[in-house]
Structures are given as structure tokens and as C-alpha cells.
Amino acid sequence: MRIDQLFPAKASIVGKTQNAQPASVSGTSFSNSLSEALQKANETIVQSENMSEKIATGEIKNIHDVTIAAQKAQIALQLTTQVRDKVVEAYQEIMRMQV
């Protein structure tokens, strides 16, 4: 049995790659994406703090919504911290490279 019979779609793609157009590059840069993610995480944390204040003053009666908002804020903060740690680790690895 020939291999191209197992993957007929892949065999047809391989033949077309020579004339394929280059993939388009997305319009957003890494710094823009990172900035937007940090802004969203900050908004989530601020929303959680506002809801905590409102539950303390009695404006909100449903504690479930406040708990969910607090968990979302905690997860956003953990994700932000992990991304920061990975970026710092990558930077340190690059600085250790010998030229």
C-alpha cells in the first residue's frame, strides 16, 4: 500500500505548495497583544474589587456573582504572573547566549 493512499488530502496539498501564496501576517504585534491582555486582566481585577465593595455596602445581594468575579480576577492575575515569568526567563536565556 502506498503512503499517499493513507493521506490523500495531504498528498494533494504537497503538490500545491510550490505555487502557494505566502501566509498573511496578522496586523497585531506581540507588544500590542500583550498590552491588550494586561489591560483586560486589569479590568477584571478592578471589576472584582468594585463588586467586593458593593457586597460589603449591601448594593449586591448575590454573593455568587462576587465569588465568580473574584475567581476570574485570581486566574487573570495568575496568568499574568506566569506570562511575566516566562518573558523574563526568555530574556535571561537570550542574554546568556554567546555571540
Side-chain angles (χ1 to χ4, degrees):
M1 177 180 252
R2 292 182 19 208
I3 292 178
D4 61 349
Q5 291 174 341
L6 295 174
F7 306 104
K10 191 176 263 190
S12 64
I13 292 172
V14 171
K16 294 179 183 178
T17 56
Q18 295 172 354
N19 297 329
Q21 297 294 327
S24 64
V25 178
S26 96
T28 60
S29 67
F30 176 73
S31 63
N32 289 343
S33 299
L34 187 60
S35 176
E36 289 174 11
L38 288 173
Q39 185 176 7
K40 287 179 185 178
N42 187 42
E43 290 172 3
T44 304
I45 293 169
V46 169
Q47 180 185 9
S48 173
E49 290 174 352
N50 289 339
M51 290 183 80
S52 295
E53 289 175 7
K54 287 180 181 180
I55 194 107
T57 59
E59 294 178 39
I60 296 179
K61 301 294 182 193
N62 191 356
I63 190 137
H64 301 292
D65 293 335
V66 178
T67 305
I68 290 170
Q71 286 298 315
K72 285 181 180 179
Q74 182 181 8
I75 291 170
L77 184 61
Q78 287 175 351
L79 177 63
T80 303
T81 303
Q82 288 178 0
V83 169
R84 182 210 56 197
D85 292 345
K86 288 292 183 180
V87 169
V88 169
E89 182 181 333
Y91 174 77
Q92 289 173 343
E93 185 69 26
I94 290 170
M95 294 308 291
R96 278 189 233 120
M97 287 183 182
Q98 295 181 1
V99 179

